[in-house]
Each structure stands twice: as C-alpha cells, then as structure tokens.
Amino acid sequence: MDRARPLCSRRRFLKGAALAAVPYALLPDARAGAQSQAVDYPLAEWQPASTSNYTESDRPDSYRVDRVVIHVTQEKYDETLPIFQNPKKQVSAHYVVRSADGHVAQCVREADVAWHAGNWDYNTRSVGIEHEGWVDQPAYFTDALYEESAKLTAAICAKYGIPRDRDHIIGHYQVPGSDHTDPGPNWDWPRYIRLVNLS
C-alpha cells in the first residue's frame, strides 16, 4: 500500500515536541518575575492589601514622602495580613514586620497611600511600618524585628532622602489627632535610630 507521506514516528514526534518546548524552558518563571516586580523592598514578600483599603497614587510625584511611621499591630502577624486584605476594614500599612525572625511583608506599594496614620496629610507623606506585637509586651520586640525593620527604614530613608532622625521617623502616637499609643513605652527608640543609621 502506497502512502502519500510517511507517518510521523513516535520518536520523531517526541523530538519535535522537545525542541518546540526549549524556548519556553529557557524563559524565567513568570511567578518569580511577578514576585520581584511586586515589591519595593527586595527583602519583602508581597502580601497585597485589598484595593479598598488604600488610595492609588504615584508618590513621590503626587505627594512628597518625608516620614516613616512606626506602628505596633496589637495582633499576631498572621492575623494582621487578613485584616489588610479584608475590604471592610478600611485600614492598611505599607509593610508588616514579623517578631520571631524579622520577616517583612509588603502590603501596599510605596507609591500608593496606605491608610495607617489616621490623618490624611500624614498618610500621603509617609510610609507606614507595622510591627507584630503589643505595646505592653516588649518580648515581641526581638533583636530580629529591630534589625530587619531598621534595614527597611534605612532603605526607605535613602530612597526618598528622609533624614534618619526622630523628627522624621516617628511613632503612630506622634501623628496629629491620633488616639493611638503605639509603638508604646517599651519601644527602644535610641536603639532603633542607631540601627537605622548603621544600616
């Protein structure tokens, strides 16, 4: 029986499929690229807040960034992230730092306005960093938390030209109109500012 064209053997078919797949195998994993593009701070993990909990912007073009506001979550790390992801909560911060190991999650892009300070003017001009723990439980303020948070704050200060001092790195309690007390009396400000300046 004559055939107009030879049938493709299984081996030839597999070779062709393998050759066709080579260009795709050489491309970087799309998920890896998305992760690195999503964060402003390279050591952070992207854990996005609900878009209902912050204001999209293009800072520093739309608003000058000249402050870092230090917060304490009054919640566990794993319970804070879902709060920011819940569109009914109307709250967020740019970053959350875990107590045990200083791991950093980014929840809002620095270009956007997180709703963390309770004062619109301060929200527009600051980056908010939450720290896992409670103001009256200093054991949550571990060496790792201080050190990793200080590196993050130093990077933010360098990026926006923010002086690394107590006039520009402030506690939530210092925001005008705030009724919050965080980071509280157990936060070691001299140590923290020293670490920021060493980073």
Side-chain angles (χ1 to χ4, degrees):
M1 177 185 202
D2 281 40
R3 292 186 174 138
R5 57 190 167 103
L7 290 176
C8 196
S9 72
R10 184 173 191 275
R11 185 172 181 206
R12 183 178 284 178
F13 177 78
L14 291 174
K15 273 183 159 178
L19 288 172
V22 167
Y24 297 101
L26 296 176
L27 291 173
D29 185 349
R31 288 172 296 164
Q35 172 67 16
S36 64
Q37 292 173 6
V39 294
D40 294 303
Y41 180 62
L43 300 178
E45 171 191 11
W46 183 238
Q47 288 285 338
S50 167
T51 56
S52 298
N53 294 340
Y54 64 89
T55 302
E56 290 186 14
S57 189
D58 61 347
R59 303 185 317 164
D61 292 336
S62 55
Y63 301 101
R64 179 174 58 115
V65 178
D66 64 2
R67 296 279 186 283
V68 175
V69 179
I70 302 299
H71 301 268
V72 172
T73 60
Q74 299 296 107
E75 291 284 350
K76 299 286 272 174
Y77 173 89
D78 291 337
E79 294 167 1
T80 300
L81 298 177
I83 291 171
F84 293 168
Q85 293 163 352
N86 182 340
K88 296 179 181 176
K89 293 297 185 177
Q90 304 291 290
V91 66
S92 64
H94 294 94
Y95 296 97
V96 183
V97 182
R98 189 163 57 203
S99 172
D101 56 3
H103 177 76
V104 177
Q106 182 170 5
C107 303
V108 177
R109 295 296 306 261
E110 290 175 14
D112 296 326
V113 179
W115 300 346
H116 63 96
N119 174 310
W120 178 248
D121 179 50
Y122 273 68
N123 281 343
T124 63
R125 63 195 291 194
S126 65
V127 173
I129 305 174
E130 288 279 0
H131 297 82
E132 179 185 16
W134 283 263
V135 296
D136 60 349
Q137 296 182 37
Y140 277 93
F141 304 152
T142 63
D143 291 345
L145 178 135
Y146 276 120
E147 290 163 9
E148 296 307 315
S149 175
K151 290 177 190 173
L152 170 60
T153 294
I156 293 165
C157 289
K159 181 175 183 178
Y160 299 103
I162 301 171
R164 300 177 187 200
D165 60 33
R166 285 287 286 119
D167 290 331
H168 298 88
I169 304 169
I170 65 172
H172 192 179
Y173 73 94
Q174 294 174 273
V175 174
S178 174
D179 61 355
H180 288 249
T181 62
D182 58 312
N186 294 306
W187 184 261
D188 190 341
W189 280 109
R191 176 185 183 189
Y192 189 68
I193 297 299
R194 183 175 67 253
L195 286 169
V196 170
N197 280 286
L198 289 172
S199 295

